[in-house]
Amino acid sequence: MKIAVDIDGVLADQVSAVLGEIEKDYGKKYTKSDINRAHWSFDGIEIWTEISRLLADPEYVMRVPLIEGSQKAIKQLCGHDVFVVTARRPNTEEATKKWLSRHFPCLKQYYHARTGTKHNIPSDVLIDDLDMNIVEFVRSDSNRRGILFLHPWSLNDTDIEDYPDQVYYCPQWQSVVKAIDEITGDQN
């Protein structure tokens, strides 16, 4: 089974990292629970703008922490054809691949997808933290499954509830592994 795994919010704890930088650079303190939608902003600055700015710095990329349980889970899933898909800008690719190599050596394939195009990735399953990516992915093929890695910003008024047989909601990696086991069992 082919499994595409997003980086930010799934493997990398990008939001915690960027919030630390926002506090340092702007003197504003926020928590992950404050980020309640994908296009969250503070003082008129969208979080994605800050993330893009910071990802241009390879040293920052290398400091982004892991999502808890991600390394163990990826090792468990590497019996499948597991690969990375990301909408990070191409100028971050070298540092991103270095970060991945350090933390997830079994993830060799890397697909760059512009925002809103993850449904074009050749995969049976997509693990992502944004509902819009999951909806586009499962809507494109009724045999596909999406795993929404839940965070406060994961649900953004899409019609994700219209795909109950295709979408799994997982708040941590342990539940992602269970969902993959269930999907694999359903395919046999």
Side-chain angles (χ1 to χ4, degrees), residues 1 3 9-10 67-70 72-74 76-77 125-128 145-151 167-184:
M1 181 168 54
I3 304 170
V10 178
I67 293 286
E68 185 178 337
S70 58
K72 180 180 178 185
I74 291 297
Q76 290 176 291
L77 296 177
V125 175
L126 172 64
I127 305 169
D128 202 291
R145 299 296 176 258
I147 297 176
L148 183 63
F149 202 99
L150 289 170
H151 291 288
V167 177
Y168 296 77
Y169 300 86
C170 297
Q172 76 263 339
W173 269 102
Q174 184 179 5
S175 58
V176 170
V177 172
K178 287 180 183 175
I180 295 293
D181 288 345
E182 187 177 319
I183 292 166
T184 304

Side-chain angles (χ1 to χ4, degrees), residues 20-66:
E21 297 296 319
I22 288 170
E23 183 176 1
K24 189 170 67 176
D25 295 347
Y26 299 93
K28 304 281 185 175
K29 186 168 179 64
Y30 300 101
T31 65
K32 283 172 76 168
S33 61
D34 291 324
I35 318 304
N36 59 2
R37 62 190 174 281
H39 294 284
W40 180 84
S41 61
F42 67 99
D43 292 346
I45 302 168
E46 194 166 305
I47 193 167
W48 296 113
T49 302
E50 284 300 295
I51 290 171
S52 293
R53 177 183 70 82
L54 291 164
L55 284 174
D57 176 3
E59 290 180 20
Y60 169 82
V61 172
M62 296 308 291
R63 291 192 312 266
V64 174
L66 298 169

Side-chain angles (χ1 to χ4, degrees), residues 45-142:
I45 302 168
E46 194 166 305
I47 193 167
W48 296 113
T49 302
E50 284 300 295
I51 290 171
S52 293
R53 177 183 70 82
L54 291 164
L55 284 174
D57 176 3
E59 290 180 20
Y60 169 82
V61 172
M62 296 308 291
R63 291 192 312 266
V64 174
L66 298 169
I67 293 286
E68 185 178 337
S70 58
Q71 283 180 310
K72 180 180 178 185
I74 291 297
K75 284 179 188 172
Q76 290 176 291
L77 296 177
C78 274
H80 298 283
D81 183 3
V82 183
F83 58 91
V84 170
V85 59
T86 186
R88 284 184 176 185
R89 293 191 174 150
N91 67 334
T92 70
E93 191 169 320
E94 185 178 333
T96 299
K97 285 182 175 181
K98 190 174 180 182
W99 184 90
L100 287 165
S101 177
R102 176 184 291 172
H103 299 294
F104 302 97
C106 75
L107 295 177
K108 304 288 187 207
Q109 291 180 317
Y110 182 98
Y111 286 90
H112 178 260
R114 292 184 324 278
T115 301
T117 64
K118 289 185 180 177
H119 64 282
N120 293 327
I121 297 300
S123 181
D124 303 306
V125 175
L126 172 64
I127 305 169
D128 202 291
D129 65 320
L130 292 177
D131 57 349
M132 52 274 263
N133 291 329
I134 295 294
V135 168
E136 284 183 343
F137 183 79
V138 299
R139 185 185 291 148
S140 70
D141 184 335
S142 62

